[in-house]
Amino acid sequence: MNDYLKPVIPNIEANYGSFTASEKTIADFFLKNREKVDFSARAMAERLYLSEATLSKFAKKCGYRGYKELIFQYEKTLADRKKDASQRSRVALETYQELLNKTYSLLDEAQVGRICRYLGQTARVFVCGMGSSGLAAREMEWRFMRIGVDITSILDSDLIRMRSVFQKSGNLVIGISISGEREEVLYLLKEAYRNKSRTILITASRQESFRDFCNEIVLVPSLRFLNRGNLISPQFPVLLMQDIIYSTYLESDKQSKEIWHESTLKALKGESKTLRE
C-alpha cells in the first residue's frame, strides 16, 4: 500500500511531534472533527486562518502527495467512523431487545403479584446486594421508600452479616445476586428464613438448593448468555424486574401511593406540608 493511502488519523498522530504550531492547528482540527464539512483548501484556510500553502505542507509531512489526497482519504475515514458508530448502536439496541425478550419469557406474573402482596403486608423490608447488585438494591430502596414502603438497603459485607442477627417473623428480606454465589447475600437469606422472615432471591442462576431458604426465586436473564452482553450494565436485568414489580405494586391503592410520592417531592424541595393534609 502506498503511504498516501494509509489512514489519516494514525498518520497525523504519528507525526504530531514534528508539526509546527500552525500544522498542529490543522492536526487538532482533523483529530477532533466528526462531521463532513467543506474540506476544500480555500475553505479550510479560511476556517483555520492559515494559508493554502500551509495545508499543502501539512499533507506532505503526513506522507501524502498533496492536500487533495489527504482529504480523499480523510473523508473515507469519516464514512467508516459513521458506519462503525451505526453498527455499535444497532448491536447495543439488539442486545437490549434480546434482554427484554428473555425477561418476558422468564416473567412469572403470579409471582410478581405475590411479591407485591408481601410488600403491602410487611412491616420492614430489607434488600441487600454487593457491587452492581448493591447499586440495584440502593435504587430499590429509593424507589419503594417514596411510595410508603419501610425499606432499607444493605450494601456492606459486614453490615449484611450483622443484620442477619436481627431478622424476625414479619420481615421481608430481598437478596440480589445475579450469579447466585454471593456468600454474604445467601447468608442473610438463610438466617432470615431460619428466623421466620419471608425471603426473596433475585438471580440469574436457577438452583434447587435456593428453595431451602427462599420463599420466592425471581429469575432474571444472565448477561453472560446475551449477544455482546458486555455492552449492557449488569444492573439492568435487575432494574428491569424492579420496574415490573414497582408498576404492579403501584396499581394497588394507587392514589395513596401517589400521595406518598408527591410528599417526598415536597420534602426534597424543602416544603413543610404534612404527608396527609
Side-chain angles (χ1 to χ4, degrees), residues 258-277:
E258 287 180 343
I259 290 173
W260 282 108
H261 190 273
E262 182 64 25
S263 296
T264 62
L265 287 176
K266 290 176 181 178
L268 288 172
K269 293 176 181 178
E271 298 180 19
S272 58
K273 292 182 179 180
T274 58
L275 292 178
R276 294 181 184 272
E277 297 180 353

Side-chain angles (χ1 to χ4, degrees), residues 202-220:
I202 301 176
T203 182
S205 176
R206 190 193 298 267
Q207 297 184 35
E208 283 300 315
S209 60
F210 294 155
R211 299 189 183 279
D212 294 338
F213 55 90
C214 294
N215 296 104
E216 302 286 347
I217 302 165
V218 180
L219 291 173
V220 295

Side-chain angles (χ1 to χ4, degrees), residues 117-126 148-152 167-173 197-198 249:
R117 287 196 295 275
Y118 298 159
L119 289 167
Q121 298 166 359
T122 301
R124 294 290 308 275
V125 179
F126 296 90
V149 177
D150 185 353
I151 181 170
T152 301
Q167 298 310 314
K168 60 185 179 179
S169 177
N171 287 353
L172 174 63
V173 179
S197 296
R198 278 202 178 104
Y249 182 69

Side-chain angles (χ1 to χ4, degrees), residues 2-15:
N2 294 330
D3 285 344
Y4 66 86
L5 291 178
K6 291 180 180 179
V8 172
I9 299 303
N11 246 347
I12 293 176
E13 291 173 342
N15 289 285

Side-chain angles (χ1 to χ4, degrees), residues 103-120:
T103 299
Y104 182 76
S105 68
L106 290 171
L107 180 63
D108 182 339
E109 294 187 10
Q111 181 182 61
V112 171
R114 290 194 300 273
I115 292 170
C116 289
R117 287 196 295 275
Y118 298 159
L119 289 167

Side-chain angles (χ1 to χ4, degrees), residues 186-211:
L186 299 182
Y187 179 83
L188 176 57
L189 291 172
K190 289 174 182 178
E191 290 300 299
Y193 187 83
R194 187 173 65 83
N195 290 320
K196 309 302 181 183
S197 296
R198 278 202 178 104
T199 55
I200 299 171
L201 174 62
I202 301 176
T203 182
S205 176
R206 190 193 298 267
Q207 297 184 35
E208 283 300 315
S209 60
F210 294 155
R211 299 189 183 279

